[in-house]
């Protein structure tokens, strides 16, 4: 059994890599806009279906549609952000709860629309990456790495380093971090908070939807898949510390590894239970996440 | 024409009124101070000027144009900067990133290089520590960074909110000499202080605010002679 451990670890890292991408956007949106977007899984689902239908209609490989999905959903996020901003800065009591309810409602609506228009059957996204795999034979240990999962990890690394670069090295990124770290002071520096929020929300929705394609080609897609990924994003971000971006990759890898270990050694049905027990214990010990740096 | 004219502003926190008909002005190149006890409305006045709070009525004119209806970032773009109480740095950014954030505005970005040099010349310790995370700086260094960040904005009016608060006595002297120095170089400054002794000495003109109303004004020398001021603020 122990010979399966390296395979479990590698599977975990490969799956965790994909979680990084939408969790990092989720954390960024939380940091800048102070919103917990319960529709994150639905953005993943919608992006996946867009890839699926584009592939069916145009016949091109799904991977080709990654930038298309990013642009389309980025635009949707950009025009949706002012509405969320209005809900969050409204004069009603408890605006953060309103924001939570608003995105939860959006998520439910998207899921309902998904069921109506896409049906309840599962599909898989076809790409040229789906078929191949690499094998490593190290005597006692045999490891298989499907090409599509490796591609997923590369995708995750590109997104992570790309976002890190933007946040660290560009004026837009510095402004976004300024808003996340001290909203009023950012305004005093001349940062247009609403504009920055729109771009951040656009980037986050775009990335989440694009990740749907990757997830769809590794697993399968259906209209109700969103809930699971909302939970995953939530788990990763809370574990990393709300709004603490640097913690996201580690939390995502941890989640991936836990999941892979349960798939191989235990009953896969227990995965979510295990995930939440781990989250519970860690938050009990360190309420601000793994690194104690969250809000 | 004054650089800043505040005309009869009334500001509320929810239902309760914090400023009552506050009127004063700041001439270009002068150092004006707003004195008053805790809770008198000094910070509220500054926040209303820079747009973090909106006045219910009254006008704020800057360089001849009304600004009280503009959002915070546009007021910053007009050339007003506030060095807030408690510094309000970006805690997880390093020194240099904080300064870069200060020159985010398009007009400030053009002068970023020369302003950065100027700030480093003014505060050599910031240059030494430019890769250090802001929240790990000492209180005095944080205050310098907050001032430096404001200077990066290339402001026409610098507003200080209690710059000496929470600093050791020797650093208080230091902060006041920085303010005097900036004033000497031609900056227009609006200073809010509880440290009345010090503030009166550096200011060209003073206003006293009590319970949200301006109750007295005059030069430092005039106020020092006033019985009420001596008793209430100077402890004499």
């Amino acid at each position: 059994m122990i010979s399966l451990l390296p395979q479990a670890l590698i599977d975990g890292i490969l799956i965790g890599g994909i979680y990084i991408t939408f969790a990092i956007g989720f954390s960024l949106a939380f940091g800048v806009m102070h919103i917990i977007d319960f529709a994150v899984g639905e953005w993943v689902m919608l992006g996946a279906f867009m890839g699926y239908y584009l592939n069916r209609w145009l016949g091109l490989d799904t991977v080709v549609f990654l930038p298309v999905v990013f642009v389309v959903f980025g635009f949707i996020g950009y025009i949706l952000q002012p509405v969320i901003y209005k809900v969050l800065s409204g004069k009603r009591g408890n605006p953060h709860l309103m924001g939570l309810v608003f995105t939860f409602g959006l998520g439910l609506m998207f899921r309902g629309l998904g069921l109506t228009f896409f049906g309840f059957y599962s599909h898989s996204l076809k790409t040229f990456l789906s078929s191949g795999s690499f094998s490593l034979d190290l005597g006692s240990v045999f490891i298989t790495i499907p090409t599509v999962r490796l591609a997923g990890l590369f995708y995750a690394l590109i997104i992570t380093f790309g976002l890190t670069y933007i946040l660290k090295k560009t004026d837009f990124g510095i402004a976004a971090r300024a808003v996340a770290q001290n909203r009023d002071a950012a305004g005093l520096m001349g940062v247009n908070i609403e504009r920055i929020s729109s771009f951040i929300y656009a980037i986050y929705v775009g990335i989440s939807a694009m990740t749907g394609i990757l997830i769809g080609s590794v697993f399968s897609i259906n209209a109700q898949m969103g809930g699971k990924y909302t939970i995953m994003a939530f788990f990763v971000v809370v574990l990393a510390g709300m709004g603490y971006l640097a913690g996201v990759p580690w939390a995502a890898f941890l989640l991936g590894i836990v999941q892979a270990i349960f798939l191989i050694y235990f009953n896969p049905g227990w995965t979510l239970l295990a995930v939440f027990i781990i989250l519970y214990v860690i938050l009990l010990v360190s309420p601000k996440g793994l690194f104690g740096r969250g809000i | 024409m004054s650089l800043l004219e505040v005309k009869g502003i009334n500001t509320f926190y929810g239902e309760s009124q914090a400023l009552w008909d506050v009127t004063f002005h700041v001439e270009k190149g002068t150092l004006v101070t707003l004195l008053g006890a805790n809770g008198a409305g000094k910070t509220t006045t500054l926040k209303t000027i820079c747009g973090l709070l909106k006045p219910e009525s009254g006008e704020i004119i800057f360089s001849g144009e009304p600004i009280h209806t503009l959002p915070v970032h546009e007021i910053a773009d007009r050339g007003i900067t506030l060095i807030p109480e408690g510094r309000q740095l970006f805690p997880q950014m390093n020194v240099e990133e904080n300064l870069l954030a200060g020159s985010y505005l398009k007009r400030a970005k053009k002068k970023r290089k020369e302003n950065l040099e100027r700030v480093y010349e003014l505060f050599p310790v910031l240059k030494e520590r430019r890769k250090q995370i802001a929240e790990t700086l000492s209180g005095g260094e944080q205050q310098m960074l907050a001032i430096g960040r404001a200077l990066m904005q290339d402001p026409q009016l610098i507003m200080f909110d209690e710059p000496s608060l929470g600093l050791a006595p020797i650093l208080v002297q230091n902060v006041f000499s920085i303010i005097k120095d900036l004033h000497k170089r031609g900056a227009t400054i609006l200073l809010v202080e509880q440290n009345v002794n010090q503030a009166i000495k550096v200011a060209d003109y003073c206003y006293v605010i009590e319970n949200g109303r301006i109750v007295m004004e005059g030069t430092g020398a005039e106020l020092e002679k006033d019985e009420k001021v001596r008793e209430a603020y100077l402890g004499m």
Side-chain angles (χ1 to χ4, degrees), chain A residues 2 11 16 21 42 65 70 81 107 114 123 130 132 137-138 143 158 167 212 226 243 256 263 286-287:
Chain A
I2 197 76
D11 279 357
T21 56
E42 270 64 39
F65 300 120
F70 178 80
Q81 194 286 141
H123 308 275
S130 310
D137 195 347
L138 304 170
I143 298 169
I158 291 169
L167 287 175
L263 276 174
S286 173

Side-chain angles (χ1 to χ4, degrees), chain B residues 202-216:
Chain B
V202 294
D204 297 316
Y205 203 75
C206 315
Y207 291 90
V208 180
I209 186 166
E210 258 175 35
N211 298 321
R213 293 177 175 87
I214 301 277
V215 292
M216 204 180 295

Side-chain angles (χ1 to χ4, degrees), chain B residues 90-142:
Chain B
F90 303 118
Q92 279 143 43
M93 290 190 197
N94 65 31
V95 169
E96 190 148 289
E97 287 170 334
N98 265 280
L99 293 174
L100 292 181
S103 60
Y104 174 79
L105 286 164
K106 249 193 196 120
R107 59 169 180 77
K109 215 171 281 178
K110 282 185 201 141
K111 294 191 183 171
R112 177 175 276 177
K113 244 184 155 170
E114 66 184 86
N115 281 336
L116 195 62
E117 265 168 40
R118 202 176 120 219
V119 168
Y120 281 154
E121 185 199 328
L122 205 59
F123 307 113
V125 65
L126 293 185
K127 191 170 187 179
E128 277 166 39
R129 305 192 172 232
R130 63 180 190 279
K131 293 292 168 204
Q132 194 172 327
I133 301 298
E135 65 184 350
T136 65
L137 296 172
S138 72
E141 289 160 354
Q142 288 192 10

Side-chain angles (χ1 to χ4, degrees), chain B residues 5 8 26 40 53 58 105 122 133 149 161 172 181 194 196 204 235:
Chain B
E5 281 179 80
V26 179
L53 294 169
L105 286 164
L122 205 59
I133 301 298
R149 186 179 67 173
D161 193 0
V172 172
D181 189 42
Q194 282 194 57
V196 176
D204 297 316

Side-chain angles (χ1 to χ4, degrees), chain B:
Chain B
M1 187 183 66
S2 308
L3 183 64
L4 176 75
E5 281 179 80
V6 177
K7 290 183 183 171
I9 53 168
N10 293 286
T11 302
F12 289 74
Y13 281 109
E15 298 281 292
S16 61
Q17 188 161 1
L19 294 184
W20 303 76
D21 199 25
V22 168
T23 301
F24 66 95
H25 57 94
V26 179
E27 303 293 330
K28 201 168 165 48
T30 60
L31 197 169
V32 172
T33 172
L34 198 58
L35 307 170
N38 236 340
K42 305 183 303 283
T43 299
T44 309
T45 307
L46 295 190
K47 281 189 171 172
T48 309
I49 294 170
C50 70
L52 287 172
L53 294 169
K54 293 288 165 210
E56 205 84 348
S57 60
E59 277 187 312
I60 301 170
I61 315 283
F62 185 70
S63 294
E65 285 174 51
I67 56 163
H68 51 277
T69 51
L70 298 177
V72 185
H73 62 95
E74 277 180 39
I75 294 177
D77 201 11
R78 298 291 173 101
I80 297 181
T81 189
L82 168 68
I83 295 152
E85 193 180 336
R87 275 75 81 172
Q88 308 293 334
L89 298 170
F90 303 118
Q92 279 143 43
M93 290 190 197
N94 65 31
V95 169
E96 190 148 289
E97 287 170 334
N98 265 280
L99 293 174
L100 292 181
S103 60
Y104 174 79
L105 286 164
K106 249 193 196 120
R107 59 169 180 77
K109 215 171 281 178
K110 282 185 201 141
K111 294 191 183 171
R112 177 175 276 177
K113 244 184 155 170
E114 66 184 86
N115 281 336
L116 195 62
E117 265 168 40
R118 202 176 120 219
V119 168
Y120 281 154
E121 185 199 328
L122 205 59
F123 307 113
V125 65
L126 293 185
K127 191 170 187 179
E128 277 166 39
R129 305 192 172 232
R130 63 180 190 279
K131 293 292 168 204
Q132 194 172 327
I133 301 298
E135 65 184 350
T136 65
L137 296 172
S138 72
E141 289 160 354
Q142 288 192 10
Q143 189 59 267
M144 287 178 206
L145 180 53
I147 297 171
R149 186 179 67 173
L151 294 178
M152 292 296 290
Q153 278 180 270
D154 214 34
Q156 292 184 52
L157 171 68
I158 308 173
M159 304 196 291
F160 285 90
D161 193 0
E162 307 266 6
S164 70
L165 199 72
L167 294 182
I170 184 155
L171 291 172
V172 172
Q173 288 302 327
N174 198 348
V175 165
F176 275 101
S177 68
I178 290 165
I179 293 171
K180 261 195 285 189
D181 189 42
L182 289 173
H183 178 38
K184 228 188 298 169
R185 292 174 189 219
T188 311
I189 295 169
L190 177 57
L191 170 68
V192 153
E193 258 298 336
Q194 282 194 57
N195 194 333
V196 176
N197 270 315
Q198 292 275 0
I200 265 184
K201 273 184 214 137
V202 294
D204 297 316
Y205 203 75
C206 315
Y207 291 90
V208 180
I209 186 166
E210 258 175 35
N211 298 321
R213 293 177 175 87
I214 301 277
V215 292
M216 204 180 295
E217 60 182 279
T219 62
E222 284 166 13
L223 288 192
E224 260 183 329
K225 280 187 218 135
D226 189 277
E227 274 305 313
K228 251 175 72 190
V229 172
R230 285 167 71 105
E231 209 175 301
Y233 300 107
L234 298 171
M236 286 189 271

Side-chain angles (χ1 to χ4, degrees), chain A residues 233-277:
Chain A
F234 196 68
F235 173 91
V236 170
V237 170
V238 170
L239 195 61
M242 292 297 286
Y244 182 57
L245 288 180
V248 167
W250 309 111
F253 285 137
L254 183 69
L255 172 65
I257 289 170
V258 168
Q259 221 184 351
I261 285 177
F262 267 79
L263 276 174
I264 290 179
Y265 288 104
F266 306 99
N267 185 338
W270 294 354
T271 314
L272 272 186
L273 180 67
V275 157
F276 274 96
I277 289 174

Side-chain angles (χ1 to χ4, degrees), chain A residues 7-8 12 29 58 61 100 126 151 154 175 181 183 203 213 235 280:
Chain A
Q7 177 76 55
L58 302 174
D61 197 279
L100 215 66
K126 286 181 205 73
F154 272 118
Q181 290 178 24
R183 229 177 154 70
I203 291 173
I213 291 186
F235 173 91
Y280 179 77

